[in-house]
Amino acid sequence: MRPRPKRRLGQHFLEPAWVDKLVAAIRPERGQTFLEVGAGLGVLTLALAGRDVSVTAVEIDRELADDLAARAPATVTVVTADFLSLDVDSLALARPARAVGNLPYNVSPRILLKLLRCGAHGAGLSDATLMLQREVADRVTATPGSRDWGPLAIATRLHALPRRLMTLPPGAFRPMPRVRSAVVELTLRPAPVRLRHPTLFDALVRALFSRRRKTTLNALRAFAPRHTTVPAAELLARAGVDPRRRPEQLELSELAELSEVLAAPR
């Protein structure tokens, strides 16, 4: 009997008719290693395993994990765990590994950010193909100057090149969600900018984009005094940023330079 989805876990299971399309988008090759986040009923897990790859499938729902472990071939390892609390390095994945997942809508940005950190800090991930709520996918793939350019897109661009692969209707899942979904491919890479103070950079980005409709000068005036006595206008001049532009118009390189200027000796 097919397990009933649990609303508290945000479960929406992909219908088998869409699995082949998703596998074609992932393009698995024989001998590759996959980390699957949120295996659910295992339809994608087993489809990948059928392509002569190894899969480590992480599933928080013990009932689903036990059911999948009983049906899966030897090339599949099922881990019952909350991915957000899991030490990915402890999985000892063959490198480079590829990540896939149909992510629960309520925690998908947090899972995505953890995967990006894994790629940047030694877990050996080369790419990730993730199914997200379409609005989240818009934020992940946004570019400077667009209304969705913000902290999530910036964090993504620090560690990956994002690309939207396809959009899925609500009917691709059971139960049907109230929103559309999209599949996004992230090709992980080293950061294209140098950040000697990443914590300050993150705080700066959050502060600026909480005032995204203001000019960068006005947005920075509320944040800079916590870190420096240098006036906001002078900081922007040192970073080569036009104070009249809005935060959503700034390139990743400009934001990085501004954070380095902010961290410089007074």
Side-chain angles (χ1 to χ4, degrees):
M1 181 176 177
R2 182 172 178 169
R4 295 176 62 85
K6 297 177 177 64
R7 181 176 296 180
R8 66 182 174 82
L9 296 178
Q11 291 175 339
H12 296 276
F13 300 133
L14 184 65
E15 287 285 272
W18 285 86
V19 173
D20 288 345
K21 296 179 182 180
L22 182 55
V23 171
I26 294 170
R27 306 182 306 278
E29 297 180 6
R30 174 178 290 187
Q32 290 183 330
T33 297
F34 282 85
L35 168 64
E36 183 181 12
V37 182
L41 297 175
V43 290
L44 177 58
T45 318
L46 299 179
L48 288 172
R51 299 296 185 94
D52 293 325
V53 305
S54 61
V55 183
T56 295
V58 180
E59 174 54 53
I60 192 173
D61 187 327
R62 181 168 295 279
E63 179 186 8
L64 295 181
D66 290 347
D67 177 73
L68 177 58
R71 295 183 289 116
T75 53
V76 174
T77 301
V78 181
V79 178
T80 307
D82 178 354
F83 181 75
L84 289 172
S85 303
L86 181 66
D87 177 6
V88 177
D89 285 326
S90 70
L91 300 176
L93 301 171
R95 304 185 182 194
R98 305 180 64 193
V100 295
N102 174 18
L103 304 188
Y105 294 151
N106 56 337
V107 292
S108 60
R110 293 172 60 199
I111 293 175
L112 184 149
L113 291 173
K114 180 169 182 173
L115 288 169
L116 290 173
R117 290 194 298 272
C118 288
H121 300 297
L125 297 180
S126 62
D127 65 273
T129 303
L130 307 174
M131 201 174 309
L132 307 165
Q133 182 178 339
R134 186 172 65 176
E135 286 74 14
V136 175
D138 290 342
R139 290 162 54 202
V140 169
T141 58
T143 55
S146 67
R147 66 177 185 177
D148 291 311
W149 179 246
L152 188 58
I154 290 163
T156 300
R157 295 275 174 173
L158 270 177
H159 302 296
L161 291 172
R163 183 168 69 100
R164 187 191 303 264
L165 298 181
M166 62 180 174
T167 301
L168 291 83
F173 304 89
R174 291 294 181 271
M176 286 194 296
R178 297 179 180 179
V179 298
R180 298 180 71 84
S181 301
V183 177
V184 172
E185 177 188 68
L186 305 174
T187 302
L188 302 183
R189 61 168 183 179
V193 294
R194 183 182 181 190
L195 291 179
R196 289 177 292 181
H197 307 278
T199 301
L200 177 60
F201 175 81
D202 290 342
L204 171 66
V205 168
R206 288 195 300 271
L208 291 182
F209 281 87
S210 69
R211 301 171 177 84
R212 62 187 300 137
R213 295 302 179 187
K214 295 183 179 294
T215 64
T216 301
L217 176 60
N218 286 335
L220 186 61
R221 277 174 173 160
F223 178 76
R226 305 176 208 166
H227 302 276
T228 182
T229 57
V230 179
E234 185 176 338
L235 292 170
L236 291 170
R238 292 181 185 179
V241 174
D242 185 340
R244 298 167 295 180
R245 294 165 67 200
R246 296 194 301 272
E248 63 188 25
Q249 297 174 305
L250 300 185
E251 301 280 344
L252 176 61
S253 59
E254 293 174 307
L255 291 164
E257 181 61 24
L258 183 56
S259 74
E260 293 300 294
V261 167
L262 188 59
R266 316 300 189 257

